[in-house]
Amino acid sequence: MASHSQISAIAHVYAQSILALANEQQQAQEMGNDLRDLVKIVKDSPDFATYLRDPSVSAAERGERLKRIFAGKVPQLLMNFLGVLNNHHRLNELEGVAESYRELLDKQSGRIQVELRVATELDAGMLAEVQKQVSAALKKEAILTQVVDESLIGGLTLKIEDKLLDASVRTQLASMRKQLLESARGKNPAFELSSVSGQ
């Protein structure tokens, strides 16, 4: 997932334009799905991705090939949009456009993307509970993407847009170690006293 800071201003403008058109045709969610699937096709086909960016290929030639590949297989709105990107030599912005479009659509729909990192995979019930709690806290519908990261030991981290909330055991242990070291050096007597008193 690209961060917002990695999305170019040009890609954002194109995303705004295609979302406006998709809204007019009541195809906003469908267009988001189509853009996501198209980006996956390009990512899974390095040779095709290189071809789309090849400056030695004319826009006319590339446009004809795009028609042969996608015409009748993708919605006309997406086909037209690919034509616009191609004519302006902006097919290299496709991934950024798709990511910016998703962000705009999420905002429009009251959703927010959240990356959930856990030490061990959560089952469907636990994942649903986390999704419920995060949605309530953010007052938006949280769309969770679960990532297993064994280095966390336990706990979890939440990445919300470009912000990281870390509640992992690894981080807690590191924090405790730092406090203990500072206490041993006399830098944090309050921690030492509270530890001894059991408070």
Side-chain angles (χ1 to χ4, degrees):
M1 180 186 301
S3 69
H4 186 77
S5 60
Q6 294 172 320
I7 299 172
S8 74
I10 291 171
H12 189 66
V13 170
Y14 276 110
Q16 288 177 314
S17 298
I18 191 62
L19 178 59
L21 290 171
N23 280 331
E24 287 178 7
Q25 299 185 24
Q26 298 183 330
Q27 296 178 13
Q29 186 60 57
E30 292 82 354
M31 176 58 70
N33 296 339
D34 292 336
L35 282 170
R36 179 199 61 208
D37 293 343
L38 182 58
V39 167
K40 186 176 187 307
I41 289 172
V42 174
K43 282 185 172 181
D44 291 345
S45 308
D47 290 342
F48 184 50
T50 299
Y51 173 79
L52 293 180
R53 296 174 173 85
D54 190 344
S56 68
V57 179
S58 69
E61 177 187 337
R62 190 160 27 229
E64 285 303 314
R65 185 169 182 183
L66 288 173
K67 287 179 183 178
R68 289 197 301 272
I69 295 172
F70 295 113
K73 299 176 184 176
V74 300
Q76 190 59 45
L77 180 58
L78 179 58
M79 196 70 233
N80 293 345
F81 183 61
L82 284 175
V84 170
L85 289 179
N86 178 52
N87 290 338
H88 289 86
H89 307 286
R90 294 296 185 184
L91 283 169
N92 62 313
E93 298 282 355
L94 183 60
E95 184 177 354
V97 171
E99 184 67 16
S100 184
Y101 184 98
R102 181 190 59 74
E103 290 180 359
L104 291 167
L105 183 59
D106 283 347
K107 185 175 182 180
Q108 175 177 292
S109 306
R111 298 190 300 253
I112 189 166
Q113 299 288 328
V114 177
E115 181 183 273
L116 169 68
R117 284 186 174 270
V118 290
T120 56
E121 186 173 0
L122 302 182
D123 62 31
M126 293 177 68
L127 194 61
E129 181 60 28
V130 172
Q131 192 268 346
K132 179 181 176 182
Q133 295 290 340
V134 173
S135 295
L138 298 175
K139 295 182 174 57
K140 291 183 179 181
E141 180 188 357
I143 308 300
L144 297 185
T145 300
Q146 181 175 200
V147 178
V148 176
D149 183 351
E150 295 178 357
S151 70
L152 294 178
I153 305 174
L156 55 84
T157 66
L158 294 173
K159 186 176 182 182
I160 303 167
E161 295 178 337
D162 289 337
K163 298 175 183 175
L164 181 66
L165 303 178
D166 195 335
S168 65
V169 171
R170 180 182 63 186
T171 299
Q172 291 173 24
L173 288 174
S175 177
M176 287 174 62
R177 180 175 181 275
K178 180 180 178 183
Q179 290 180 12
L180 286 168
L181 287 172
E182 290 178 349
S183 176
R185 293 171 186 156
K187 293 182 179 179
N188 193 351
F191 177 85
E192 188 174 21
L193 289 172
S194 65
S195 298
V196 172
S197 65
Q199 293 177 359

